[in-house]
Amino acid sequence: DIQMTQSPSTLSASVGDRVTVTCRASQSISTWLAWYQQKPGKAPKLLIYRASTLESGVPSRFSGSGSGTEFTLTISSLQPDDFATYYCQQYNSYPYTFGQGTKLEIK
Amino acid sequence: EVHLVEAGGGLVQPGGSLTLSCGASGFIFSSFSMNWVRQAPGKGLEWVSYITSSSSTTSYADSVKGRFTISRDNGKNLLFLEMNNLRDEDTAVYYCARGSGWLDSWGQGTLVTVSS
């Protein structure tokens, strides 16, 4: 199975900050990677697929990059609504696997 | 608007069985692959199972293989997850999610608790 490792596990930041979350795959997954946002008690929400394609309706302050084994999710200017947990997911091969999550907290 | 609604969760004893359902609306259900993803309390996301639009292909996580069965009824816009020989570690919120690859729409989830 492909292991997905996110860093950091927790990130403290302030409104207006630029933040980056990293996701590493245990083997190359080309650009078969998605990012999700999850708020407490809610279902995950798709943000980005194919490593860098923004899902319709997602604010442009979110962006993704990377290929192969290393990927990043960047939020250019944090908004109050962005404090949540973020997950990466590979879909290069079954079983699909998720990173362990990065909790973005208010500093 | 895409709408997915899970049902069938509840409390079940270890070794017991439960069948979850997911009702779909707002899109052509028969054209899309579907998945089940679960989340244990306070933990991360775990993909469980996948089924193609025509049910020709299914796939399972090793942790549930041989115990869970995914199926669908395209005529009724329903997705199912039959869960047998349940274990404590199957306790989780179970989400149905649309997609082949990235998962673009999710239900609100249904809680399955395995406990004696």
Side-chain angles (χ1 to χ4, degrees), chain A residues 52-75:
Chain A
S52 60
T53 303
L54 204 64
E55 171 72 341
S56 176
V58 174
S60 59
R61 62 180 180 273
F62 290 91
S63 64
S65 65
S67 66
T69 62
E70 187 151 339
F71 303 85
T72 59
L73 170 70
T74 298
I75 309 173

Side-chain angles (χ1 to χ4, degrees), chain A residues 36 38 43 50 89 91 94 96, chain B residues 39 50 95 101-103 107:
Chain A
Y36 302 86
Q38 187 179 34
R50 213 174 285 137
Q89 175 228 337
Y91 51 93
Y94 290 108
Y96 295 164
Chain B
Q39 186 169 36
Y50 161 87
Y95 297 100
W102 65 89
L103 307 177

Side-chain angles (χ1 to χ4, degrees), chain B residues 1-2 7 15-16 18 22 24 27 46 65 70 83-84 86 93 99 115:
Chain B
E1 180 186 359
V2 174
L18 207 58
C22 171
F27 66 103
E46 180 188 15
K65 200 173 294 183
I70 191 171
M83 304 184 295
N84 296 313
L86 283 160
V93 173
S115 175

Side-chain angles (χ1 to χ4, degrees), chain A residues 35-47 55 84-89 98, chain B residues 4 6 37-39 43-46 93-98 103-109:
Chain A
W35 289 97
Y36 302 86
Q37 176 194 67
Q38 187 179 34
K39 296 181 179 179
K42 300 295 186 182
K45 173 189 173 184
L46 176 67
L47 298 175
E55 171 72 341
T85 300
Y86 293 85
Y87 294 93
C88 60
Q89 175 228 337
F98 292 87
Chain B
L4 298 169
E6 300 92 341
V37 177
R38 68 185 181 183
Q39 186 169 36
K43 302 297 184 182
L45 300 169
E46 180 188 15
V93 173
Y94 285 73
Y95 297 100
C96 62
R98 187 182 79 167
L103 307 177
D104 65 2
S105 298
W106 298 62
Q108 85 290 346

